[in-house]
Structure formats: C-alpha cells, structure tokens
Amino acid sequence: MRLSRTARERATDLWLAGPATLAMIGLIFAPVAIVAVLSFTDYQFGALTFRWIGWENYATLFTDPIGRKAVTNTLIYVAVVIPFAMGLALVVALGLHNLAARFPRISATLRAAYFLPVAATLVAMALAWQMLLHPSIGLVNQTLGGLGLPAPDWLSDRGLVIYTLAAIGIWQSVGYNMVLFLAGLAAIPPDLYEAAEVDGATKGWERFWTVTWPMLGPTTLFVAVITATQAFRVFETVATLTRGGPAFASDTLVYALYREGFEYFKAGYASAITMVFFVVMVALTLAQFRVLERRVHYR
Amino acid sequence: MIELDGVTRRFGATPVLHGISLAVPEGSFTSILGPSGCGKSTTLRIMAGLDRPNEGRVRLNGADVTEATASERNVAMVFQSYALYPHLTVAENIALPLAMRQFSRLERLAGVGRLMPGAGAKRAAISARVREVAAMLGLDDLLERKPAALSGGQKQRVAVGRALVRDPSIFLLDEPLSNLDARLRVQMRAELAALQARTGRAFVYVTHDQVEAMAMSDHVVVMMSGRIAQVGAPRDLYERPATRAVAAFIGAHPINLLDVTLGASGACSLLPKLRVPGAAGARVTLGLRPEHLVPAAAGLSARLERVEYLGAEAVVHARLDDGTPLRALAPGDWAPPAPGGALSLAVAPERVHLFDAETGARLPAAAERVAA
Amino acid sequence: MRPLSLLALLLGAAVVLLPFFWMVSLSLKPADEIFSARVDLLPSRLAWENYATAFTEVPLARFLMNGVIVCGGILVFQVVFAVPCAYALAQRRFPGRTLLFGLVLAGLLVPFHVTAIPIFLGLAELRLLNTYTALIVPFVASVFGIFLFRQFFAAMPAELFEAARVDGLSETAIVWRIAFPLAWPAATAFAVFSVTAHWNDLFWPLIATSDPALATPPRGIVYFRDAEAGDDVGPLMAASVVVTTPLIAGFLLAQRRVTQGIATGGLKA
C-alpha cells in the first residue's frame, strides 16, 4: 500500500536531515556527555575498570602545582594576547583605513601582508619563529648581540617562554582582528565625521574619540571575544616549540589535556581539564552571540 | 479539469478556506478573483499540490490527487515572482521540467547520461521542443542568457515558456502580471488569452485585479474571506452581482451603495419609480453604478462637488440633498455647472441593484419589481 | 604626520613578514651559511638542493597528498551532510525543526578539543585509529556548515523551490540542482574555512595517527623536525615553505572573498 502523503513527507525530511542529525549526536553531543561523565572517574585508556572519584580530578587541576601551572599559564597567555592583538590591530586598521583614501593600492598590499600569518600554516610558521629566535644562529639574537644587547634564551627561559609564545600568538591574530576592525571602520557613515568637524572636533585625536571609538564599540567587543576564544585554544605553538616546557613553564590547558590524555593516557583527568576548558569556551561563545546580536542592533 | 470538493484549510487555528467546492472545466480560462487575504492563492496552491487541505478532496481529470505532491501531479504553474532559476540559462530553465520528467535518474547524471542509449535522442527532442516554445514566445535570441540579464517582460515569458514546454493537465497562474508595467500588462493579457485558446487546456488565473479577470476569462470565481462569493461569466458578475461585496469589487468605477428605509408598499423615497418587495420600515441597500448614473434634465437632484476629467468621460463627484456622496459618469463633452451648482442624475430602474442591508445578499432584480 | 604613519605601517608589515622572509631565506641557504656566526639576510647562492633534500629525506609529497585527501574528504562529507539538512531547516516544515536548529546552535558552542577523548575511545574500540577514516570522520558533522547554509537558504525565496516542485523535481534534486548551486558564495566561504582549519590542524593528527605514512602536512614537518634529520635546518625550512605555500597562494588569489567572509560574519571554521 502506498504511504500517506504525510508519511512520505516525513520520510523525505528524515532522508534530508537525518544523517546530519545522527552525525551531530554521535560526534558532538554524545562525546560531550561522555567527557562530562569521565571527568568524575579515574579511567585510563585501555583500562578495564574505573572508579568514581567525584571532584578529585578538578581538585587536582586547581591544587596540583603542575595543573595550576597550566591554568595560570593559559590565563597569562590570554591576558597578554588580548590587549596587544587588539591594540595593534586597531592601530594598523586605522592607519590602513586612512591610507586607503589616498593610496588604495599600497593599503591593499599592506593589508594582505598583515593578514598573511592568519592564512599560513601555524606549525610551519612556528618552526620559522624557532629559527628566528634560535639562541645562537637566530636572526634576532644575532642582531641583539651585534648591538651589544643581552641575548635572552626566548624559548628555554622559564620566565620568558610563555611571553614568547604570546608574542607569536599576537603576531598570528593581528591580521584577523585588523580585518574585523577595517569592516567596522568602513561601516561608520562619513557624515558623522563632517558633523564632528562642524562641532569643532578638527584634530585627528578629537575625531577619534568623538566618532571612531564610540562607533567601533560593538566591533571592539566582538574582536575581544573572538581573540579570547582563539587564545584559550593555544596548542600548535606549544606542541611544536616547547611541549609545555621547560619544567611546565609553557604548559597550557589544551596542551595539558593532550599530554595527560594522549601521552599519559589519563582519560579521567584529561576529561576534567576538557570540561574546564569547555566551560570557559561556552561562556565566551555565549558572550560572542550576545555581542553579535548587539552589533546587529546597532545598525 | 480540476475539482475541489469541500476544501478547508486552516493555518493553526485560523481558517483561511471554508469548505470550497469548485470545478474548473476542461479548456476554460477561469480566474479566481478577490481582495488580498481572501484565500485565492491558497486555493491555487492546493490545486498545485504545494499546499494541502485539512479537509476535502482535490480531483484532477477525475483522479483523486489530494495525497499527491506537486511533482507527482502533472500541473504547470507561473509564479508572481516568476521564480526562474537564476543559475540556469533561459534554455535550461525551460528545459528543466521536461528533463526531470523524461529522463530516468541515471540518465540525468551529467557524465553517465551521454553514454546511455536513447538519451541522446531524448536530449535532442527536448532541445527541439525548447526552441519551439521559445519561438512561440519570441525568446529565440535570449536562450543563452541568464535570468538576471532579462527585462521583467522577458522573465515573464520565460516563466510561461517553462509552464508551456510540457503538456500539463492544467496551467496555474498566480498573479503573473502584477510585476509588469501597465502597458506590458495589457499586451501580456492578450497574449495569455491567445495562448490559452491555442493550447486548449484549462487555465486557472489568480488575480486581485478585476479588470484582468473580466478581460481574460470565460469564468470568474469571486472569493471573499475564504468563501466563494460568486461563480459566473464576467457579464453575470457585472450585471447580477450576488452580494453587495461582489458588486463593490466588480466594475471599473466603484459602485455607489446607498442604505435606504422602505416606505409603504415598498416605496423608496429616493427613486419614486422603484418598488421593492418588503415591509415598510425594512432597510435595503441600493447599488447604483456610476456609469448608469448620468447627468440629465430630470432625476436625483444633487450638488456638484468636483469633476475628474478623463478624456472620453468625466467622473462626477456630487452630493445628494441629504449629504450622501455619489459618483456618476458623464460623457467627456458634458458641460458641468460651477462647483456647488445643482444638477440632476438620472438612473434607469432596471439598472438598480438591490441588496438586503443586513445580509448583503442580492434581492430579486429591481427591474422585475418596477410597478407598471 | 602622514609619512611618519606610513613608515610605521611599513615597519610593522616588515616585522609581520619577517618569519616568512627568514623561512624562505633559510630554505635557500647552504648549510654552512645557516650555521655561521655572521648575520646574512640573504643567501649567497640559492641552495635549491634543500628542497630536493626535503622531498627525499621525508615523504613530503606523501604529506601533501595526505593533506589533500584528508581536507578533501572532510569537505566533501561536510557538504553532503550539511547541505540537505540546512535545506530542510530553512525551507521545509516538520515536527522537531526548531529543536534541530537548537541542536545546531548548541553544537556551535562545542570546540572540537572537547570531543577528542570520547572520539578517540570510539575509534580505538572500532580499531580505526591510524587510518584516513580516523582523520576524516570526526569532522563530518559541521554544525558551522549547517548554520551557514541554513542562513543562506532561508534568505532564498520559497517560490523558487515551489517552482521546482511543480517542475517535477524531487526534494533531493532540489537540494543539489537548485539550492546548492545557488549557495555557491556560502559554499566557497565554507570551503575556505574548512580547508584552512584542517590543513593547518595539528591537534587531531597528533592524537589519531602515529603512522608517518598518514601524516598531514603539519604533522609531517613535526616528524621531520623530531627526526635526526631535523638538525638539517635548510631542508626543514624548505619543507615548511612547501607546506605553507598552497594556502598562502590560495589566500592571495581569493583575498577579497576571504576578508569579506570574515568581516560579514566573524566566520570561524
């Protein structure tokens, strides 16, 4: 017997949306649930049994010196990257925006140059940085030495390494933020500047504070959240350049999750790290949705 | 032919169609006419299979197709926005419905199709048919263009071509001319009517423009708030509107509707010659079309407010002595009095439409009731 | 003021480009120049043999091919899963549609790292680690893709799809013959972000594979660096140049579209 039209339409819907729904459940939601459960166990990859240990994994992460290092390093990294990656991007965007009026060609070329690190393969570029910062044969230290300045050990100095990685992080994200700022600048109606001029704001700085900065507000918030989510994910540079060392001085959350889970096979503990990382990311992404909504309302 | 039988459609709790029953005979040009929101588009979409009735049946050439999807019914439709596929050329737009129905799934795959026996011949047949349709619509030179490069009128023709290319049981047209400019609309009106005569298929034409409906169709279905108000030939609708609402909707110039109270033995103080069946004190609505209300030596006495001169004729805005506004039509060469001046408007009693003031239903024609 | 700010912008760009410059310069320097104490910005002669060495010392061509297979496989599956689902969400009415869209939005909250452990467990259970499957399958459900395509389809007029239904197209045919070709701008934007993300990813290849024959480009150069040959700076930099070039070239070709894509939605893959 032929199925009713309703049944046939539902079958079509299932055929269209079913595979993606199943994949989504199997590859996203079920794993999240499993991670949440595992984080309360002492499960190890390959083990046959596990014990429920409550919040112990979380306690370890926040009390154990190594666990705490990962947390504090990540926070330092993020705290350094956000202001610099945003400030520099804003300065560059303002410069290129003004330049575009007179020399559009030069401005476009420079924009591509600043964006290049975003498109490049980070692991390969990390190796290039490693060569650049090499204590003996690196261009940076050779130049510093030539100038008679001290030549620090960028990637093996415990006090310095996380800042070195942050600098690479800044280098990598300035271009992306710059594009967002440029879009924000392009969206400011020119007559606002004319109005500001009529009102007496004639100097560049005055114009910036009366028009540009307030109008960029929503973009700035959005860029801040995007930069934060990207910074919290830092992994490639750590894995390539330091492996969290020396002595966990550059350990970060995602790298710790990788090391504990997939090198030491402590699935339970790695799950707890994952959950902490996840909670931070959810908070930031929700903030991002909020900001996106706001950005739309402003227009 | 297509038949609707007791079709009801609700969107949520809101009913938009209340048990519509309707038969579009083979070979007819039927318009569904009504103000926006009356359910005419929903009716058409139910005929197409794009929408489904909550109750009632749809029959196409006698077969029950209520449960069939649009692609399973052999119907063609022209949309208000034309709905041309922007990424396909004119030729591909016209060919698509044929290709989808004539090729098997395997043959449609670009690479495989070429290798299948018989596919080449089908392809050639399709392209011949496309050229034939294009020639009929004057699209020969546009076949390789994309829709974005066409004018509104050309897009309209492509949309018609896409419907015409196969031999559907019925053609459904949803306000197809509403996006064209006035002159093109008149031209396309004639072309569509000629096309319908040529194919001999039933056309169902949805419009809110009564001029279009009257000019093109041999049947008009007037819909008002989800119900069929009247079905008939254009002339029937004009001469014998079934309700006050239909009378108000049909006609190039809006009809004058006057509520009056009957005197003794159905006398009407306004038109002494008229006798209306009904008790003294009953209320009826008189419908007077402006074109039947002409300035004359004797008649309703009124004061002129202003005149809209249109060339061949002039619309006269006047007020009766009791202040009721009235529109009349005068010949273009009529010499009006000064604004505020008195004039008389004559009406033939057989031209007066009578409606029940309560229900709006038509009362037996006035002419039949005129006292000898 | 003007010339000064232009100078600052040029200097900034020079700093940003410095690692690229140094990478290319080292990749063309003979070994003795690399390890000399003198600072030489440019090689004295172009040592193309570094590139030859990179391709012979490690299976660099194999790494590149793996990158193409993995990125291509991921992209194809993502599109095949996401486009019909996005079409259904945008242009069809079915019970659970709002719930499904809610799932998609919730899915946007989950970074891949969060799902890594259970997916690793699952693949280990199925004995699929160290296969292309392990590198591709975890990414086939792209909620970002579903979301992007849904937004695009929702903005298309419903009449277009109704016309296709009347013309006799099945819903599957509508998805692939009408909706998908019309979503080309969304598809290219999505492809750029998907390919960039997975070509550059190190996290998952590091976890899911230990077989160098399956290494994607970033995983491959990490092998190279960690191998004894890793002290061979010239060839290592040559390999880095080779790995980075395809995306840089792609970006320079599609520059406008990429930056517009970022600017309009703050896109992320």
Side-chain angles (χ1 to χ4, degrees):
Chain A
M1 207 196 90
R2 204 165 143 75
L3 287 169
S4 80
R5 180 163 172 194
T6 311
R8 282 180 292 141
E9 297 274 8
R10 287 301 86 83
T12 306
D13 293 324
L14 211 59
W15 156 248
L16 293 174
T21 311
L22 275 184
M24 228 159 50
I25 292 170
L27 293 170
I28 297 174
F29 296 105
V32 168
I34 293 172
V35 160
V37 171
L38 281 180
S39 73
F40 295 104
T41 71
D42 68 348
Y43 181 69
Q44 304 222 350
F45 284 128
L48 295 173
T49 57
F50 62 85
R51 275 187 316 122
W52 295 100
I53 56 170
W55 294 91
E56 204 179 300
N57 286 326
Y58 293 91
T60 309
L61 177 61
F62 287 104
T63 54
D64 175 73
I66 295 175
R68 281 174 66 163
K69 268 248 62 118
V71 175
T72 49
N73 281 337
T74 309
L75 291 177
I76 292 174
Y77 180 91
V78 173
V80 173
V81 169
I82 290 181
F84 282 98
M86 288 181 66
L88 290 174
L90 179 58
V91 169
V92 171
L94 283 169
L96 292 184
H97 186 72
N98 291 333
L99 195 61
R102 280 230 202 136
F103 309 104
R105 273 282 175 75
I106 301 178
S107 179
T109 311
L110 284 176
R111 192 183 59 196
Y114 280 102
F115 191 81
L116 223 47
V118 183
T121 301
L122 187 53
V123 171
M125 295 321 295
L127 292 182
W129 273 105
Q130 192 175 28
M131 293 308 152
L132 212 48
L133 298 172
H134 194 281
S136 55
I137 62 164
L139 180 62
V140 172
N141 281 10
Q142 281 181 336
T143 311
L144 288 176
L147 296 171
L149 293 167
D153 216 346
W154 302 100
L155 289 166
S156 349
D157 184 324
R158 283 189 210 181
L160 203 56
V161 61
I162 193 71
Y163 298 97
T164 306
L165 291 177
I168 299 177
I170 294 164
W171 168 82
Q172 210 237 341
S173 42
V174 162
Y176 192 90
N177 294 348
M178 169 202 71
V179 168
L180 292 172
F181 276 127
L182 279 173
L185 286 171
I188 300 178
D191 44 342
L192 278 184
Y193 287 106
E194 285 160 24
E197 207 153 325
V198 171
D199 292 344
T202 45
K203 289 202 199 100
W205 272 113
E206 290 167 358
R207 278 153 44 111
F208 178 79
W209 287 116
T210 51
V211 180
T212 315
W213 181 248
M215 288 303 288
L216 273 185
T219 308
T220 311
L221 261 173
F222 180 70
V223 172
V225 178
I226 282 263
T227 312
T229 47
Q230 291 304 315
F232 267 104
R233 290 171 195 231
V234 58
F235 174 78
E236 266 80 5
T237 44
V238 181
T240 314
L241 297 180
T242 68
R243 299 190 177 179
F248 301 99
S250 64
D251 205 21
T252 62
L253 273 181
V254 177
Y255 190 75
L257 128 66
Y258 163 75
R259 185 191 56 238
E260 299 295 335
F262 301 100
E263 284 188 347
Y264 302 155
F265 301 111
K266 294 197 272 187
Y269 183 46
S271 296
I273 301 176
T274 304
M275 286 309 288
V276 171
F277 169 72
F278 183 39
V279 168
V280 173
M281 294 305 280
V282 167
L284 284 171
T285 319
L286 287 179
Q288 182 183 336
F289 283 165
R290 274 278 171 79
V291 173
L292 256 181
E293 242 167 60
R294 242 234 326 261
R295 200 163 68 141
V296 174
H297 289 319
Y298 262 77
R299 291 200 175 141
Chain B
M1 74 181 277
I2 193 160
E3 291 165 278
L4 300 185
D5 187 4
V7 164
T8 294
R9 178 72 175 107
R10 285 179 293 269
F11 291 134
T14 324
V16 288
L17 294 181
H18 306 263
I20 298 272
S21 293
L22 174 67
V24 175
E26 193 59 52
S28 81
F29 195 123
T30 298
S31 286
I32 302 182
L33 174 66
S36 60
C38 71
K40 57 186 189 300
S41 285
T42 307
T43 308
L44 194 75
R45 291 166 53 79
I46 285 175
M47 288 179 175
L50 293 171
D51 203 342
R52 303 171 58 189
N54 296 92
E55 289 154 34
R57 314 303 301 171
V58 182
R59 275 186 291 277
L60 191 60
N61 293 334
D64 190 325
V65 293
T66 317
E67 289 287 297
T69 60
S71 54
E72 292 161 349
R73 302 178 189 187
N74 187 20
V75 298
M77 188 154 168
V78 178
F79 291 84
Q80 186 172 9
S81 65
Y82 317 134
L84 302 181
Y85 309 119
H87 60 301
L88 301 180
T89 64
V90 168
E92 289 165 336
N93 261 286
I94 298 179
L96 189 66
L98 268 191
M100 293 315 290
R101 284 176 202 273
Q102 297 198 352
F103 284 120
S104 67
R105 193 173 283 258
L106 197 58
E107 285 170 331
R108 281 200 303 264
L109 285 174
V112 185
R114 302 246 152 77
L115 307 174
M116 300 283 291
K122 277 189 197 171
R123 219 171 277 278
I126 287 178
S127 96
R129 175 74 184 134
V130 168
R131 276 198 301 277
E132 187 185 328
V133 168
M136 200 192 300
L137 293 165
L139 291 169
D140 312 66
D141 300 334
L142 306 175
L143 282 175
E144 294 314 312
R145 291 223 198 142
K146 293 271 176 74
L150 301 178
S151 72
Q154 290 167 338
K155 284 184 195 167
Q156 170 66 59
R157 278 164 212 268
V158 177
V160 171
R162 194 170 61 179
L164 216 57
V165 71
R166 57 202 164 89
D167 187 30
S169 318
I170 193 161
F171 287 85
L172 306 171
L173 303 98
D174 187 8
E175 309 230 8
L177 304 185
S178 61
N179 287 335
L180 300 180
D181 64 50
R183 191 188 303 197
L184 207 51
R185 207 167 348 181
V186 173
Q187 185 192 337
M188 282 308 291
R189 226 151 68 185
E191 285 187 25
L192 280 180
L195 219 50
Q196 192 269 329
R198 191 165 164 177
T199 60
R201 293 290 184 203
F203 273 43
V204 181
Y205 187 99
V206 159
T207 179
H208 66 274
D209 181 347
Q210 53 100 17
V211 178
E212 268 178 25
M214 303 287 271
M216 301 166 78
S217 11
D218 38 48
H219 275 76
V220 179
V221 177
V222 184
M223 287 189 65
M224 301 263 166
S225 45
R227 292 191 171 83
I228 292 179
Q230 189 170 4
V231 183
R235 193 157 176 174
D236 291 341
L237 299 181
Y238 180 75
E239 292 182 346
R240 300 172 56 81
T243 67
R244 187 172 50 192
V246 174
F249 200 71
I250 302 286
H253 298 285
I255 193 169
N256 296 296
L257 293 167
L258 308 175
D259 283 349
V260 296
T261 310
L262 294 181
S265 68
C268 168
S269 56
L270 205 56
L271 297 167
K273 278 191 205 161
L274 206 63
R275 283 291 175 278
V276 182
R283 294 188 59 77
V284 297
T285 303
L286 301 182
L288 305 172
R289 293 203 183 273
E291 54 270 40
H292 300 144
L293 208 53
V294 289
L300 299 170
S301 81
R303 292 204 171 271
L304 182 67
E305 296 235 299
R306 69 196 159 83
V307 176
E308 283 169 23
Y309 177 69
L310 300 176
E313 55 194 22
V315 181
V316 179
H317 294 263
R319 263 180 208 282
L320 292 178
D321 294 340
D322 65 354
T324 317
L326 214 55
R327 277 175 308 275
L329 219 53
D333 56 1
W334 177 62
L343 78 162
S344 299
L345 297 168
V347 60
E350 68 272 19
R351 298 289 203 185
V352 176
H353 303 278
L354 286 175
F355 304 101
D356 187 315
E358 302 294 315
T359 63
R362 181 180 185 81
L363 296 173
E368 299 149 22
R369 295 290 158 188
V370 175
Chain C
M1 172 69 203
R2 275 276 152 150
L4 214 67
S5 65
L6 178 59
L7 194 70
L9 284 172
L10 286 171
L11 258 173
V15 171
V16 167
L17 293 182
L18 185 62
F20 292 96
F21 166 77
W22 196 240
M23 178 171 75
V24 174
S25 171
L26 285 181
S27 79
L28 290 168
K29 272 185 184 175
D32 53 326
E33 276 180 51
I34 294 173
F35 293 101
S36 89
R38 272 187 47 215
V39 189
D40 283 310
L41 288 180
L42 294 170
S44 61
R45 67 174 181 87
L46 298 183
W48 292 109
E49 65 267 21
N50 285 339
Y51 284 83
T53 315
F55 275 95
T56 48
E57 198 90 37
V58 284
L60 187 55
R62 174 89 200 217
F63 298 159
L64 293 173
M65 193 190 71
N66 288 341
V68 172
I69 292 172
V70 169
C71 290
I74 289 174
L75 182 62
V76 166
F77 279 109
Q78 283 178 333
V79 167
V80 165
F81 278 88
V83 169
C85 180
Y87 167 78
L89 281 172
Q91 294 285 350
R92 291 178 64 83
R93 303 280 169 275
F94 54 91
R97 192 175 63 113
T98 319
L99 176 72
L100 182 56
F101 190 53
L103 277 186
V104 172
L105 291 180
L108 286 173
L109 294 172
V110 185
F112 175 74
H113 310 85
V114 173
T115 58
I117 293 169
I119 289 180
F120 177 83
L121 277 172
L123 289 170
E125 203 59 42
L126 297 169
R127 310 237 168 270
L128 282 173
L129 291 173
N130 270 321
T131 60
Y132 284 118
T133 315
L135 289 171
I136 292 171
V137 163
F139 302 100
V140 299
S142 170
V143 279
F144 176 66
I146 298 175
F147 180 74
L148 189 68
F149 281 110
R150 190 213 89 105
Q151 299 304 82
F152 212 85
F153 293 152
M156 292 183 188
E159 281 199 350
L160 204 56
F161 301 109
E162 297 184 332
R165 283 174 201 143
V166 174
D167 281 347
L169 275 74
S170 70
E171 294 296 297
T172 314
I174 291 175
V175 169
W176 296 114
R177 293 180 148 247
I178 308 292
F180 185 57
L182 288 176
W184 204 239
T188 35
F190 178 68
V192 165
F193 286 94
S194 169
V195 169
T196 313
H198 296 294
W199 181 273
N200 292 340
D201 182 37
L202 178 65
F203 182 73
W204 186 246
L206 215 46
I207 292 171
T209 61
S210 52
D211 179 359
L214 288 171
T216 55
R219 182 76 190 92
I221 48 178
V222 171
Y223 272 126
F224 190 0
R225 201 266 320 264
D226 294 345
E228 276 171 58
D231 296 334
D232 241 349
V233 174
L236 181 62
M237 286 296 107
S240 299
V241 171
V242 169
V243 161
T244 310
T245 305
L247 287 192
I248 296 274
F251 160 69
L252 291 177
L253 287 176
Q255 218 193 114
R256 273 195 90 102
R257 189 149 268 180
V258 175
T259 46
Q260 269 171 6
I262 294 172
T264 47
L267 297 176
K268 60 188 182 79

